[in-house]
Every structure is written in structure tokens, then in C-alpha cells.
Amino acid sequence: MLTSLNLSQAAYLLQPADWQKQLLGAVRFSGSGSVPGFPLPHIDVPMRVLDYQPASKPPVAMPTALCEAWHTDQTLQEGQSGDIHYRYDGSVLFGVIHLNEHVTPTGSSPLQHTTEQAYQQIFTLLDALDYPHVYRFWNYMAQINSRSHDLERYRQFNLGRQAAFMTSRRDIAGNVPAACALGTAEGPLSIAFLAGRPPAVAIENPRQLSACDYPPDYGPRSPVFSRASLVQLDRQVMLFISGTASIVGHATLHPQDVAAQTHETMTNIEAIINAANHESAHVRFTLAQLFYRVYIRHEADLKTIQAVLQARIGSGYSAVFLQADVCRQDLLVEIEANLTVPFA
Ligand code: 3EB
């Protein structure tokens, strides 16, 4: 079984060594303070945890570093290749890469170039080890909405990402991974990825244009991601819902209204779940079962967003709330989710 869990550093240290060895890796949200070492593949994302629920899990006061960790019940192997650190079992591989942005002799911006290098390293590794199918990418970069080299930095990232997909002879539309892309105040480009041997089914949202087909108003090269990916592993189905926002068609709706954006986002997530249920014969996904991560641009909006989520999902849902920059200036909130469902 592959499962994700929200884990504080303190809770991790309390676990037995055998269990720790079965962690594939983690995304650690570490705020702005310094955090202790963590002996498994992980990225450190300098985002502040605003809240999490249920509050009893992990059993500590507001943790200074909260991780989304991936656990399997298999024996893992570990490797380092170029700038990538990874762990894998016989069917899935989790890897991470942090790269500082370097000035390049070419015409491309440092972020574009660094993104292309990072993705090329990732695809080369996955091809070599034969874990060809990427289920999920998590992308974090500094100052995502700032401009340099005549282009917003998120758009520079999209140029580099699409170029690497093409160089590696991967699809740039259709059967592409789920993803998210968020901004931090500072720090290197940090990417985590989960890939595997079983293929994934890409899910789109009928309310939204595929991001791969966004018109050039949103940048010279489209983002490469699907709205969700659905993977059937041994005796389980996994659903990875990409970062989802208040976008219908390709346009942002309710630019000044965080409550309305949250409602629209939940309507999009409902539509994605419906599409996933259409694809999956073994299980039915519901809003109440999902594990949510909520990226909030303005901390002051936290309570408003939580009230809408409670109205839409019911009480007792599981979520982590983080302060982050979302990749369009007019988006105030972005929500992602995942779920593992065992069957038989
Ligand atoms: C959107 O729907 C909002 O570039 O990988 C969501 C999920 C968004 C993933 C990405 C961007 C990405 O366009 C932004």
C-alpha cells in the first residue's frame, strides 16, 4: 500500500526505525525558520503552515515543519543521481530536486533554464530506471508572480518545463501528469515527483479548458499538467488532484472575492471527482474522503475559506492550510487533494 500522511518532524522522530525506512520521501513545509536535518528524500518549502485539521493529528501544537510523507509497506532502495535524491520500491519511485537558478549563456532566463535542466534530469533518471509514468509533480519556486526578462516567472517556468517534456519525447498534452506550481518568498527551484511502472490515466475537468491548451494570453508556452491522475497499483487506486483554482474555461472567475473563488474551486474539484469516478471501476471517490492542501495568498482570508470548505465538504475533513503565492495574480486560493483507496 502506498499512502500519504501529514507528519510533523516530532511525530516522525517518534516512529520506529523500520517504519521510517519505509518512507519514500516527503515535501516539508518549513516556514521561514531553520529546520533540523531529515534523513530521507525531501524538499524544504519555505511556506508557513496557517492551520491544519483534524487538529489532533499530528499530536503537537502548531508544528514548525509539517510534512506530506509517502509511505509504502515494501522494502525501499535509495539513490542519488546528479541533483536528484530518490527512494523506490518495485513499483513506485519518489524523488526530489532542489536547484539554484544560474545565469546562462543562452537567451533563456535563469529560471527557464534551471527548470529545463531539472526536468531533463528527472526524465533521464526515470527512463534509465524504468519508472516511466509520472503520476504527480510538485513545483515550488521563488517569486512566482514577479517579472524578469520581460516575462512573469511562472511563464518562464512553463517555457522550461514544456521544452524538457519535448526533448524527452514525452506528450505535452493529453496523457500528462497531475501537478501544482506555487510561489515562495525565496529559495531554490524545488520539485518533488512520484512516478511508477503502472501507467496513470489523466483526468480532465469538463468545466475547464485543458491547461495544455491555454491560449497565449497566459504565456508563450502552455503549462503541462492534467487536472488529476488516477493510478491503479496492486490492490489500491490512487487519485492525485492537481492544484485547482477558480478557473472556468481558461478565465479566472471572481477576481476580488475569495469566498466565491473557494466555491468555484470546490465545484471544479467535484467535477474532477465525477470524471475520476467515471474512469474507475473499483472505487467511488467523495469530497469528504479527500486529503486537502489549501494554498492561501492572504493569511487574512483563512477563516473565510475554511467556512466555505466546511459548507461544501462537511465538518471533519482533513486539510492543511498554507500561505503561498498562486500562479495567477488574481487567484486568491488554490486547492489540491489526494486519496488512496484500497479494494478487495
Ligand atoms: C490553473 O488551473 C491554476 O503549472 O503545474 C494548477 C495546477 C496551476 C498546476 C502547473 C498550475 C499548475 O491553471 C494553476
Side-chain angles (χ1 to χ4, degrees), residues 119 136-137 139 154 157-158 161 178-181 208 211 214 223-227 242-245 247 326-328 331 334:
Y119 271 85
R136 181 65 156 97
F137 279 113
N139 301 291
Y154 173 59
F157 165 83
N158 279 322
R161 175 169 56 178
C180 62
Q208 297 184 303
Y214 281 168
V224 182
F225 69 95
S226 60
R227 300 302 176 181
S242 292
T244 306
I247 296 173
V326 185
C327 68
R328 286 186 191 180
L331 290 173
E334 182 172 308

Side-chain angles (χ1 to χ4, degrees), residues 12 51 64 93 111 140 185 202 215 303 337:
Y12 168 82
D51 198 7
T64 49
L93 181 152
L111 178 58
Y140 301 97
K303 290 281 179 277

Side-chain angles (χ1 to χ4, degrees), residues 56 89 107 146 152 163 178 181 192 198 203 211 217 237 268-269 276 282 297 301 307 317:
S56 59
D89 66 18
S146 300
E152 187 190 28
I203 308 285
D217 319 63
V237 176
N268 278 328
I269 290 180
H282 294 286
R297 188 182 290 277
D301 291 337
Y317 66 93

Side-chain angles (χ1 to χ4, degrees), residues 105-123:
T106 66
S108 61
S109 75
L111 178 58
Q112 175 186 341
H113 180 78
T114 305
T115 303
E116 188 172 346
Q117 297 290 311
Y119 271 85
Q120 271 175 12
Q121 283 197 36
I122 292 167
F123 291 142

